[in-house]
Amino acid sequence: MRALRPYLLLGLAVFLGVVLATLPASLLSGWLPSRLELHGLTGTVWDGAAAELVLDGTPLGRLGWHLRPSSLLRLTVAADIDLRAEAASLRGGLTLRPSRVLMVKDLTLDLPLDFLHPHAATPTWSGRITGHVREATLEQGWPVALDGTFSLDHLRAPNAPDDLGRYRLEFDPRDATAEALLGRLHDEGGSLSVTAQLRLQKARAYQLDGDVSARGATSDELSRALAFLGSP
């Protein structure tokens, strides 16, 4: 009997591995926070998809994921995700650590700005944001470390017809301080001359400082928007 014990243990391990590997993705529904819903689940817990991801009642698109089982040995949950909507995409690696710390690695995004504020009650700035986050750390949903580059294209002020062109925002971890992350914002041509710094403070606040001025004639709506931003 002792001679058979290793084989029995191996068989049990294989059986448990198969069970775990084939757990249906539908089991995730019972584990999600109330703000998050997944509809049309297919595949498994480890490698699956949802036809619709809904956050706070807002449909965001189709979500696919691949969990890395080895991360569980480090008491973390790591996954590669791929979110796609009609006019938006976001894909990269996420690692959830204890104490609600989220690590982001090699994340690419391509989103309309209104994707970020779908329930805005008043007209907001519009355009398109693309970017690459090489690495980032979020604590309770707020960035405390960030290495990434973002571009804003076809930026428009609220209710204004002016296409303001293209702008670039860069976060270099070497610029960060103990109190804040520092992003450098500048224009790449277009209707506005912009040289500014965006500070994301560890105290969960932000501050934008710099110079913004119009190149040539602008609409009345844009002039009002610039006045609101504090331009001279």
Side-chain angles (χ1 to χ4, degrees), residues 2 5 25 60 79 146 159-160 168 191 200 210:
R2 287 185 177 181
R5 186 174 298 174
L60 297 182
L146 178 56
N159 297 318
R168 189 174 181 87
S191 302
L200 300 179

Side-chain angles (χ1 to χ4, degrees), residues 13-55:
V14 171
F15 172 75
L16 291 175
V18 170
V19 170
L20 291 174
T22 57
L23 287 175
S26 57
L27 290 177
L28 289 173
S29 296
W31 302 345
L32 298 175
S34 57
R35 297 178 56 199
L36 195 63
E37 301 175 38
L38 295 175
H39 300 301
L41 288 163
T42 57
T44 69
V45 168
W46 309 101
D47 196 351
E52 193 75 71
L53 168 66
V54 180
L55 179 63

Side-chain angles (χ1 to χ4, degrees), residues 160-180:
D162 313 72
D163 185 335
L164 303 181
R166 181 183 179 92
Y167 303 85
R168 189 174 181 87
L169 176 62
E170 299 177 271
F171 284 91
D172 187 330
R174 293 172 295 184
D175 295 331
T177 68
E179 293 78 26

Side-chain angles (χ1 to χ4, degrees), residues 1-10:
M1 188 66 180
R2 287 185 177 181
L4 293 176
R5 186 174 298 174
Y7 298 100
L8 293 174
L9 292 175
L10 178 61

Side-chain angles (χ1 to χ4, degrees), residues 5 59 81 89 117 202 221:
R5 186 174 298 174
I81 65 155
S89 66
H117 42 76
K202 301 293 178 67
E221 293 86 355

